[in-house]
């Protein structure tokens, strides 16, 4: 033992010269977790009640709605994308656009399937177009943005239906025209604010034009909606 | 061979004159041909220069396509255009000049799919919406209940997109077959053909919007003007490709191209823009996509 100590002394002799500066905290804790994991483990959402899950998702959707209504260049809409909001808006819009039950095939407005297909297929085509032109936005992020920006048009649809309750006259048409025009330009402006940054500047117009066409067609469908007599 | 010698001799004289004036000047000998136009056997056929350039850049264009057709980059190479380029091509399609070949002058071995696709999409919606508006505006009856007639969008989409893809395929296939394996200067790739057809449809967009104005003579005048513009664009583009063939084939090809283009325009007008609601035809049953689309258009035109 004494030999070991003597042997050790030269090894550790230089340690006394080593100085550790005061501002490097060399401290820590080494504990081994024993026992069952704690009840409120934040990483696992499997055990929480369903109400919490639904409310959390609804809050995320609602926050994004607010982002769309006041479009600022924030990246949170792009970072935490989800497709619940677009689905909700698309289904609401398609249900409200149900054509009246008129006789004859010629007279029907866009059916549910047509509206659904136009919105989703149009979004996919615009996303593909943006990616092919060299955009840096990802596929689902773009779908998310385009879907959420339908919100002003859905609001316009609700307003139009309310206006049409008062009868369809020239005044109501002009009111509806103004509402739809305002909401369509709002949608285009909101989605451009999110999408334009991901494109090189000399191709921005090439990406914005299909978005404009997309919302124009949806606005047209809303404007020409006429309830069954 | 007196002419090249004369040129050389002249250059040398000029050089010696300059040298004698300033002996210390550095001399640079350029062995390229003189750019001064001389009479004789130097051909200054501009089309030939353009075609020579076109061939070189066509070869370069071939190298640009990267990857196989299952990769994303392959399709990205077809969208390699800027806003100004697209606008320039649209301008070139609206004002076709006899000297300028649209493919050589505007496309220049960078055929894009952006223009044809979005021009067709815009045309579909503009024709359907304008047709709807014109039917609505032509009603004198104040009790008329407005009907959106949304199924027409589907029909317009099928007609326009079939035309924009099948007809260039046929034209390209026919031209390639006639030329055999020899890469003649007038040969176009499939994408360039699609590009020309797509951009030639652009002039129909403002035409369809102007068709809302409910004067029959104005509509026929607009059709005529649009057909002249886009038809001449197609003729100017495809004439150099067929003029080396027999006269009959050349004329037949060009006539067929113009005829199909006219059929599309007239078919759209007849089907979507009707003046009285009681002649609204029920939607013709959509033929399977493999059938000839002109048959569908002519039947729609005939059912008027």
């Amino acid at each position: 033992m004494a030999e070991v100590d003597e042997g050790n002394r030269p090894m550790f002799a230089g340690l006394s010269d080593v100085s550790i500066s005061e501002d490097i905290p060399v401290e820590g804790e080494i504990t081994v977790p024993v026992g069952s994991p704690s009840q409120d483990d934040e990483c696992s959402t499997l055990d929480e009640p369903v109400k919490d899950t639904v409310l959390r998702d609804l809050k995320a959707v609602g926050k994004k709605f607010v982002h769309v209504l006041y479009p600022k260049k924030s990246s949170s809409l792009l970072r935490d994308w989800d497709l619940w909001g677009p689905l909700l808006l698309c289904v609401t819009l398609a249900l409200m656009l149900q054509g009246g039950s008129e006789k004859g095939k010629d007279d029907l407005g866009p059916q549910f399937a047509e509206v659904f297909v136009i919105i989703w297929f149009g979004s996919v085509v615009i996303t593909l177009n943006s990616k092919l032109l060299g955009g840096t936005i990802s596929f689902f992020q773009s779908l998310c943005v385009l879907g959420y920006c339908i919100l002003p048009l859905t609001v316009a649809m609700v307003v139009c239906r309310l206006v049409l309750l008062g009868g369809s006259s020239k005044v109501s048409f002009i009111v509806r025209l103004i509402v739809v025009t305002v909401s369509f330009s709002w949608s285009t402006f909101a989605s451009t604010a999110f999408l334009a940054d991901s494109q090189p500047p000399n191709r921005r117009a090439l990406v914005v034009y299909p978005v404009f066409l997309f919302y124009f067609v949806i606005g047209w469908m809303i404007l020409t909606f006429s309830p069954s007599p | 061979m007196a002419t090249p010698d004369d040129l050389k001799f002249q250059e040398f004289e000029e050089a010696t004159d300059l040298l004698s004036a300033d002996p210390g000047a550095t001399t640079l000998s350029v062995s390229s041909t003189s750019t001064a136009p001389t009479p004789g056997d130097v051909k200054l056929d501009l089309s030939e220069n353009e075609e020579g350039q076109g061939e070189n850049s066509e070869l370069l264009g071939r190298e640009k396509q990267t990857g196989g057709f299952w990769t994303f980059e392959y399709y990205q190479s077809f969208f390699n255009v800027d806003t100004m380029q697209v606008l320039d091509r649209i301008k070139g399609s609206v004002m076709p000049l006899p000297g300028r070949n649209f493919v050589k002058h505007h496309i220049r071995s960078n055929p894009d799919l952006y223009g044809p696709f979005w021009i067709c999409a815009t045309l579909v919606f503009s024709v359907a919406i304008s047709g709807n508006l014109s039917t609505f505006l032509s009603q004198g009856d104040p009790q008329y209940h407005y009907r959106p007639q949304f199924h027409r969008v589907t029909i317009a989409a099928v007609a326009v997109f079939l035309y924009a893809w099948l007809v260039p395929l046929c034209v390209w296939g026919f031209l390639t077959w006639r030329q055999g394996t020899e890469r003649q200067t007038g040969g176009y790739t499939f994408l360039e053909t699609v590009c020309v057809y797509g951009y030639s449809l652009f002039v129909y967009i403002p035409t369809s919007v102007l068709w809302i104005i409910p004067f029959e003579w104005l509509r026929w005048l607009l059709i005529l003007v649009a057909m002249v513009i886009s038809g001449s664009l197609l003729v100017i583009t495809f004439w150099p490709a067929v003029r080396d063939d027999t006269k009959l084939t050349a004329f037949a090809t060009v006539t067929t191209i113009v005829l199909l283009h006219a059929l599309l325009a007239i078919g759209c007008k007849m089907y979507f823009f009707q003046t009285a609601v009681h002649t609204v035809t029920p939607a013709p049953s959509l033929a399977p996509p493999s059938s000839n689309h002109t048959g569908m258009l002519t039947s729609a035109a005939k059912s008027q």
Side-chain angles (χ1 to χ4, degrees):
Chain A
M1 281 301 219
E3 285 175 354
V4 174
D5 281 338
E6 276 175 0
N8 278 343
R9 231 177 271 131
M11 276 174 56
F12 293 121
L15 273 182
S16 57
D17 296 333
V18 174
S19 64
I20 301 172
S21 74
E22 295 294 318
D23 51 347
I24 300 178
V26 183
E27 59 189 21
E29 220 178 11
I30 302 177
T31 55
V32 176
V34 288
S36 58
S38 53
Q39 289 280 336
D40 45 355
D41 189 6
E42 278 148 3
C43 302
S44 154
T45 57
L46 208 53
D47 295 331
E48 63 178 11
V50 173
K51 186 176 72 137
D52 281 352
T53 315
V54 171
L55 275 181
R56 185 178 51 237
D57 280 338
L58 277 180
K59 271 201 206 117
V61 168
K63 212 162 57 164
K64 292 207 189 66
F65 280 170
V66 171
H67 268 295
V68 167
L69 286 178
Y70 301 104
K72 296 188 290 277
K73 281 204 175 81
S74 78
S75 58
S76 67
L77 189 72
L78 293 181
R79 239 189 353 245
D80 320 314
W81 59 266
D82 73 276
L83 292 178
W84 282 116
L87 182 67
L88 205 65
L89 288 172
C90 177
V91 167
T92 316
L93 194 60
L95 279 177
M96 286 199 285
L97 273 175
Q98 284 287 288
S101 55
E102 300 204 23
K103 293 190 285 274
K105 244 185 69 171
D106 257 359
D107 309 336
L108 295 180
Q111 298 304 299
F112 184 88
E114 281 171 339
V115 177
F116 208 78
V117 160
I118 282 187
I119 291 180
W120 286 102
F121 189 62
S123 302
V124 167
V125 165
I126 294 177
T127 307
L128 276 180
N129 176 63
S130 142
K131 284 192 79 66
L132 282 170
L133 280 170
T136 54
I137 202 172
S138 95
F139 184 76
F140 285 109
Q141 279 173 348
S142 172
L143 279 186
C144 166
V145 167
L146 287 169
Y148 270 104
C149 289
I150 297 182
L151 177 66
L153 283 166
T154 313
V155 168
M157 180 77 219
V158 170
V159 170
C160 282
R161 277 211 96 141
L162 291 175
V163 167
L164 277 172
L165 282 179
S168 50
S169 63
K170 280 241 173 345
V171 173
S172 89
F173 177 73
I174 294 184
V175 169
R176 282 186 292 140
L177 181 68
I178 295 176
V179 166
V180 167
T181 312
V182 166
S183 63
F184 141 73
S185 26
W186 196 343
S187 288
T188 312
F189 173 68
S191 64
T192 310
F194 290 116
L195 288 179
D197 284 340
S198 65
Q199 288 289 334
N202 55 345
R203 292 185 182 181
R204 231 163 247 175
L206 293 184
V207 171
V208 168
Y209 171 70
V211 175
F212 167 84
L213 184 68
F214 177 61
Y215 290 127
F216 181 80
V217 169
I218 298 182
W220 173 257
M221 288 198 293
I222 292 176
L223 185 62
T224 61
F225 171 75
S226 56
S228 48
Chain B
M1 300 304 285
T3 322
D5 287 344
D6 282 344
L7 289 172
K8 273 195 204 148
F9 191 66
Q10 278 169 9
E11 273 181 77
F12 186 68
E13 253 189 359
E14 215 179 6
T16 49
D17 282 336
L18 286 171
L19 262 180
S20 58
D22 185 7
T26 53
T27 53
L28 186 70
S29 63
V30 178
S31 55
S32 60
T33 55
S34 165
T35 52
T38 56
D41 43 8
V42 176
K43 275 206 266 183
L44 280 179
D45 192 4
L46 278 177
S47 62
E48 216 176 60
N49 272 347
E50 271 193 355
E51 284 161 1
Q53 244 182 2
E55 257 210 70
N56 284 339
S57 43
E58 204 178 14
L59 286 172
L60 281 177
R62 284 283 144 75
E63 296 167 19
K64 266 199 291 191
Q65 287 169 5
T66 55
F69 63 89
W70 57 88
T71 60
F72 193 68
E73 284 75 28
Y74 178 76
Y75 297 105
Q76 219 166 8
S77 63
F78 303 139
F79 281 76
N80 197 14
V81 278
D82 296 339
T83 312
M84 293 318 295
Q85 277 178 327
V86 172
L87 288 177
D88 175 59
R89 290 175 187 189
I90 290 179
K91 260 197 301 225
S93 81
V94 174
M95 297 182 298
L97 300 173
R100 290 188 182 177
N101 189 341
F102 183 74
V103 175
K104 298 287 185 286
H105 192 83
H106 287 274
I107 297 189
R108 277 190 207 154
S109 306
N110 189 16
D112 68 307
L113 285 181
Y114 176 90
F117 180 76
W118 287 109
I119 289 177
C120 290
T122 313
L123 182 66
V124 163
F125 287 113
S126 83
V127 164
I129 291 177
S130 308
N132 205 351
L133 267 181
S134 82
T135 316
F136 174 66
L137 286 176
S138 67
Q139 294 303 311
D141 185 9
Q143 297 298 323
Y144 173 67
H145 185 75
Y146 173 76
R147 300 177 183 111
Q149 289 166 327
F150 201 71
H151 66 285
R152 291 185 159 185
V153 173
T154 323
I155 295 171
V158 169
V160 169
F161 275 99
L162 271 185
Y163 178 83
W165 289 91
L166 274 189
V167 175
L169 183 68
C170 298
V171 168
W172 170 77
F174 178 74
L175 286 179
T176 314
W177 171 62
R178 291 304 286 188
Q179 287 163 2
T181 53
E182 176 189 8
R183 171 88 60 85
Q184 289 186 8
T185 49
Y188 302 124
T189 66
F190 172 60
L191 279 172
E192 285 170 347
T193 325
V194 166
C195 223
V196 170
Y197 263 90
Y199 281 104
S200 75
L201 285 177
F202 176 78
V203 76
Y204 287 135
I205 297 177
T207 313
S208 65
V209 172
L210 286 175
W211 272 342
I212 298 178
I213 307 174
F215 297 121
E216 209 45 41
W217 60 269
L218 182 65
R219 288 181 182 174
W220 283 109
L221 182 67
L222 283 171
I223 274 198
L224 212 61
V225 169
M227 263 166 37
V228 161
I229 292 179
S230 61
S232 63
L233 175 75
L234 289 177
V235 167
I236 293 170
T237 309
F238 287 111
W239 180 247
V242 291
R243 71 174 163 207
D244 300 326
D245 218 330
T246 64
K247 276 278 186 202
L248 183 63
T249 325
F251 274 113
T253 315
V254 170
T255 318
T256 317
I257 292 177
V258 173
L259 212 65
L260 284 175
H261 214 65
L263 267 177
L264 178 77
I266 296 180
C268 278
K269 181 196 176 301
M270 302 234 100
Y271 183 67
F272 290 100
F273 294 85
Q274 292 137 352
T275 44
V277 75
H278 61 268
T279 58
V280 165
T281 54
S285 57
L286 289 176
S290 57
S291 72
N292 192 359
H293 71 285
T294 50
M296 187 173 84
L297 280 176
T298 44
S299 70
K302 275 189 196 145
S303 63
Q304 287 304 306

